[in-house]
Amino acid sequence: MMSQLDKNKKYTLEEFLDYVKEEERAELYEGTPVFMAPASYEHEGVIINLGSEFNQVLKNSSCQVYGSNLQVIFPFKDENKGKDDVTVMPDISIVCDKSKLRNKRCYGAPDLVVEVLSPSTARNDRLLKLNYYEKAGVREYLIVDHQNRIIEKYVLKEGFYQSEDVYSIENETFTSTIFPDATFAIDDIFGFLD
């Protein structure tokens, strides 16, 4: 079924949510709809492995790990732009404040977000989304490059992201800053790619 969204038109958050179908994978970048292609098996494998690691550590906490179908809404208001709300579907979202979860969505910043790069999303993940997540107050943002087997960690400090570490096969053990018990071998995430 074809969407009624026109990628060349600007939409308010309400219009976007009215138009987008539940089964569609689309995000809204300051009024502009962005449609997402299906992911590769490598991309999905990395998401499952990372999500499993975080889920193990957080299973007895108030935090919940969500996959790539959770719509996250950042209500950015800017009089100069008008249609500036942002809706994203991160590959992984960890939400500790359950009051943000309502109407099938997350309203406001998850505590941690993971984006796994793919050729069609890499630019948005590194530039636009990094800016959105920083502005919204996502405390930790991981950018995962499965082709080079790298995890980049950005941590929010005084309202701005600082690149805190880059993990690779050489720097073998990942540790989350905001969830210090989340420690795992990089090979546990990327090993299936061998």
Side-chain angles (χ1 to χ4, degrees):
M1 186 170 181
M2 188 91 161
S3 175
Q4 297 176 358
L5 288 172
D6 178 347
K7 67 180 181 183
N8 299 311
K9 189 179 167 206
K10 293 263 190 184
Y11 294 89
T12 64
L13 177 61
E14 292 74 24
E15 290 169 333
F16 175 79
L17 295 176
D18 282 345
Y19 280 121
V20 76
K21 308 287 181 277
E22 232 175 83
E23 65 277 4
E24 283 182 307
R25 301 215 9 96
E27 298 179 324
L28 184 69
Y29 296 175
E30 299 172 64
T32 303
V34 177
F35 296 93
M36 295 161 14
S40 68
Y41 78 87
E42 296 95 340
H43 185 274
E44 289 299 295
V46 168
I47 291 170
I48 288 292
N49 290 345
L50 270 171
S52 296
E53 293 289 346
F54 279 110
N55 207 38
Q56 278 299 112
V57 171
L58 298 171
K59 68 181 173 188
N60 294 320
S61 75
S62 63
C63 303
Q64 184 64 46
V65 180
Y66 295 95
S68 60
N69 283 319
L70 179 68
Q71 229 176 18
V72 177
I73 296 173
F74 301 136
F76 297 142
K77 294 294 177 207
D78 180 342
E79 284 68 42
N80 299 327
K81 293 181 183 170
K83 297 178 178 175
D84 49 6
D85 291 326
V86 171
T87 301
V88 291
M89 297 177 82
D91 290 320
I92 297 174
S93 301
I94 299 177
V95 181
C96 300
D97 179 356
K98 289 189 175 31
S99 72
K100 293 180 178 180
L101 300 168
R102 56 190 184 279
N103 302 325
K104 301 181 184 179
R105 301 178 178 96
C106 177
Y107 291 83
D111 295 85
L112 184 146
V113 163
V114 177
E115 293 289 1
V116 179
L117 301 179
S118 63
S120 63
T121 67
R123 188 173 183 279
N124 286 342
D125 292 341
R126 289 194 176 282
L127 300 172
L128 280 176
K129 286 188 176 181
L130 185 130
N131 179 47
Y132 295 152
Y133 295 154
E134 179 181 77
K135 185 176 172 183
V138 174
R139 295 166 50 209
E140 188 169 324
Y141 177 36
L142 306 179
I143 297 177
V144 181
D145 177 348
H146 69 78
Q147 290 179 316
N148 295 304
R149 300 184 188 199
I150 290 171
I151 299 175
E152 300 170 36
K153 179 171 66 173
Y154 295 87
V155 178
L156 199 64
K157 295 196 175 157
E158 296 175 18
F160 297 96
Y161 276 139
Q162 289 183 3
S163 174
E164 200 169 88
D165 222 326
V166 176
Y167 300 91
S168 63
I169 298 301
E170 289 76 42
N171 180 4
E172 296 173 1
T173 304
F174 171 87
T175 302
S176 169
T177 298
I178 66 167
F179 303 116
D181 291 342
T183 299
F184 46 82
I186 293 300
D187 198 48
D188 289 346
I189 306 305
F190 300 116
F192 77 99
L193 297 169
D194 292 333

